[in-house]
Amino acid sequence: MSWTEERIETLKTMWEGGQTASQIAEALGGVSRNAVIGKAHRLGLQSRPSPVKPNEPAAAKVEAEAKPAPVVAAAPPPEPPAPKPVPTPEPEPEAPFDLSDEAEDDEDEDEDQDDAVAASPAVPRPAADAPVLRSVGPGGFVRQNPGEQAPPIAPAPPRRLVPAKPSEAIAGKTSLLDLNDRICKWPLGHPGEPDFHFCGDKVNPGFPYCVAHCGHAYQAQMPRRDRRPPPPLPYGGPRVR
DNA sequence: CCCTGATTCGC
DNA sequence: GCGAATCAGG
């Protein structure tokens, strides 16, 4: 399997969208997780929250036996490698909500989220967990060029909403409690803010959002090979394992 | 154990 | 350039 333009594009989008290397590898198919990581690095994609901390001074130690240690004569005490400044990660451009779940998530929040947003038994729930990227317009919405919208938008369903009691500010707006499988769940505003509410339009049948917001939610390119019936299963879909 | 990403290094 | 093997942290 080679890295075609399309596959690279998918890799980029998913990587930047916060998908794990495993998920990406699985979505692409024919490649291993390592291959994905390796390629991502070669592409210059910056590391996202990595579990491995950079060793500051301890540095050389790994299996760096590769370094034959230039023995000149009476080898002087090797200078300890100076700790290089940690590159400050660029803040993400923008996104309706925080996508990075793994980073700092709590269990209870997940539950809230599922209850709140994924409560649509009738709907094939295209992507309650990761409505991140994805494309294909079975609904008919036009797809944009990959370059036109760089930042991976993802109306990640808000977590921790449920303000115990309905606020007056959202009176007349579509609140969490108004959500059902027939109205658009696209969030407007930010959770916690007084006027936070949902779109509330009629959904594009089969999707959690209205047609307009589907256009925002589903954009990335997808391997348009085998036809995949209605519910376009996103990359981050159910992990088959 | 599982998972994650980072790195190395032979191809 | 590619990716398996390996490492290291959660």
Side-chain angles (χ1 to χ4, degrees):
Chain A
M1 207 48 112
S2 62
W3 285 107
T4 64
E5 198 89 16
E6 212 174 273
R7 290 163 64 79
I8 291 179
E9 183 57 37
T10 301
L11 164 56
K12 279 186 187 171
T13 309
M14 292 185 72
W15 183 271
E16 289 162 12
Q19 310 286 321
T20 69
S22 297
Q23 288 176 305
I24 299 173
E26 206 170 303
L28 288 173
V31 288
S32 68
R33 180 182 72 93
N34 279 323
V36 168
I37 293 176
K39 184 59 180 176
H41 281 228
R42 262 172 260 125
L43 285 172
L45 298 180
Q46 276 312 295
S47 58
R48 293 160 307 113
S50 133
V52 179
K53 292 178 182 177
N55 266 338
E56 270 188 36
K61 173 254 190 79
V62 197
E63 52 180 316
E65 272 74 83
K67 287 183 249 177
V71 179
V72 182
E79 288 286 333
K84 48 182 170 184
V86 179
T88 346
E90 290 282 336
E92 284 296 323
E94 55 153 76
F97 300 97
D98 186 13
L99 327 172
S100 53
D101 283 303
E102 347 283 303
E104 17 75 74
D105 214 340
D106 293 338
E107 284 79 12
D108 50 327
E109 282 183 335
D110 281 341
E111 292 174 7
D112 288 345
Q113 165 187 315
D114 277 336
D115 280 353
V117 183
S120 18
V123 174
R125 60 175 299 178
D129 294 315
V132 202
L133 10 126
R134 257 22 32 103
S135 77
V136 152
F141 20 88
V142 191
R143 166 169 74 216
Q144 304 176 8
N145 282 333
E148 289 184 20
Q149 15 74 28
I153 37 61
R159 47 252 235 108
R160 169 123 32 209
L161 4 92
V162 192
K165 59 181 178 186
S167 156
E168 295 181 35
I170 64 173
K173 310 280 183 59
T174 302
S175 77
L176 170 69
L177 300 176
D178 298 323
L179 291 180
N180 60 47
D181 58 338
R182 267 162 289 118
I183 69 176
C184 178
K185 301 176 181 60
W186 187 275
L188 299 173
H190 300 277
E193 291 179 3
D195 63 337
F196 173 69
H197 61 286
F198 297 89
C199 169
D201 277 356
K202 267 177 38 181
V203 296
N204 186 14
F207 294 87
Y209 310 118
C210 66
V211 177
H213 284 136
C214 272
H216 280 106
Y218 307 93
Q219 289 181 13
Q221 179 75 269
M222 202 175 180
R224 77 278 202 190
R225 40 162 53 107
D226 42 24
R227 53 151 189 107
R228 199 152 295 180
L233 202 49
Y235 297 127
R239 293 187 100 185
V240 200
R241 199 151 289 198

